[in-house]
Amino acid sequence: MKKLTMFIVSDSVGETAELVAKAAASQFREGLETVSLKRFSHIEDETQINEIVYLAKAQQAVIVYTLVKSCMRTKIKKECQNAGIKCIDLLGPIVEQLGIELGEKPLEEPGLVRKLDEDYFKKIDAIEFAVKYDDGRDPRGILKADIVLIGVSRTSKTPLSQYLAHQRYKVANVPLVPEVEPPEELFNIDPKKCFALVISPQKLNSIRKERLKALGLKDDANYARFERIEEEIAHFNDVIDKIGCTIIDVTNRAVEETANVIITELQANSK
């Protein structure tokens, strides 16, 4: 029965190399007594490689590495050969082959996979947040949000929330109607993160009529009448005067354009 010692060497965290090493070792049970894995993370200096190879030789270890810089891969391979120990390059052959296939040089920047993973999960969190706190369902989301959208019905609050969520912003949106008092949380947030969406009465009338038709209803319902729209807009103006937030006219703006205005203002305010 043999004892296998593997050194996992990476210029990032080393999770990928360790998982592959474990998966490979799991295929050998009869002749293998124990498997010992030691991870060496964030290795970006050639002197570190010398020390690792020295330890590997002393412990009769196999070195498994994922190093994105070609100079570091060359260094560790050469040192292992000089020391007479085994080493396995998990990343180099794939990167080199992809470089040939794509006709370009790799970035050779450590940690990009982790950055991509973190970015992905941040986007998922933001999307789930936008769904949870859509349409004023839970006013607690107002205090947690990066962006708060307010406006009367049919001013594109929900699609705008989802678009901004895909840009990694946590967004809560709140509809304003005269019969319902706006949540107290609206008046307790930084007005710089609150954006009021305004639209012309004529455009809103047209949108609401089309909405009623899509639902199989008559387009002369109170919801689409000018008197009702003007009442809602008057209430909307009262609320935004109290908050003191930024007003954005979405009458002739696509969702993407409105999102860009919001993001630009947020970035300007953060400076």
Side-chain angles (χ1 to χ4, degrees), residues 3 14 20 30 68 78 110 140 168 172 210 216 246 268:
K3 178 183 178 181
V20 173
E30 292 184 6
V68 298
K78 180 181 177 182
R140 291 175 297 181
R168 291 78 175 162
E210 290 302 317
T246 300

Side-chain angles (χ1 to χ4, degrees), residues 138-143 148 182-190 193 243:
D138 186 345
R140 291 175 297 181
I142 294 170
L143 301 176
V148 178
E184 190 63 33
E185 287 84 354
L186 275 180
F187 306 102
N188 295 326
I189 60 171
D190 183 350
K193 76 173 187 178
I243 298 173

Side-chain angles (χ1 to χ4, degrees), residues 167-225:
Q167 310 304 312
R168 291 78 175 162
Y169 291 98
K170 291 183 177 180
V171 186
N173 75 73
V174 181
L176 297 179
V177 292
E179 294 78 14
V180 179
E181 283 295 316
E184 190 63 33
E185 287 84 354
L186 275 180
F187 306 102
N188 295 326
I189 60 171
D190 183 350
K192 290 181 180 178
K193 76 173 187 178
C194 183
F195 295 87
L197 309 180
V198 68
I199 189 171
S200 75
Q202 293 78 14
K203 181 73 172 181
L204 188 56
N205 170 259
S206 176
I207 292 172
R208 288 188 175 184
K209 280 186 174 182
E210 290 302 317
R211 176 60 175 166
L212 289 170
K213 288 178 183 177
L215 294 172
L217 302 172
K218 292 182 179 180
D219 65 3
D220 61 350
N222 187 50
Y223 175 70
R225 289 178 180 169

Side-chain angles (χ1 to χ4, degrees), residues 49-64:
I49 288 177
N50 293 333
E51 295 170 2
I52 293 168
V53 171
Y54 176 81
L55 288 172
K57 185 174 183 179
Q59 297 181 29
Q60 296 183 317
V62 174
I63 291 180
V64 178

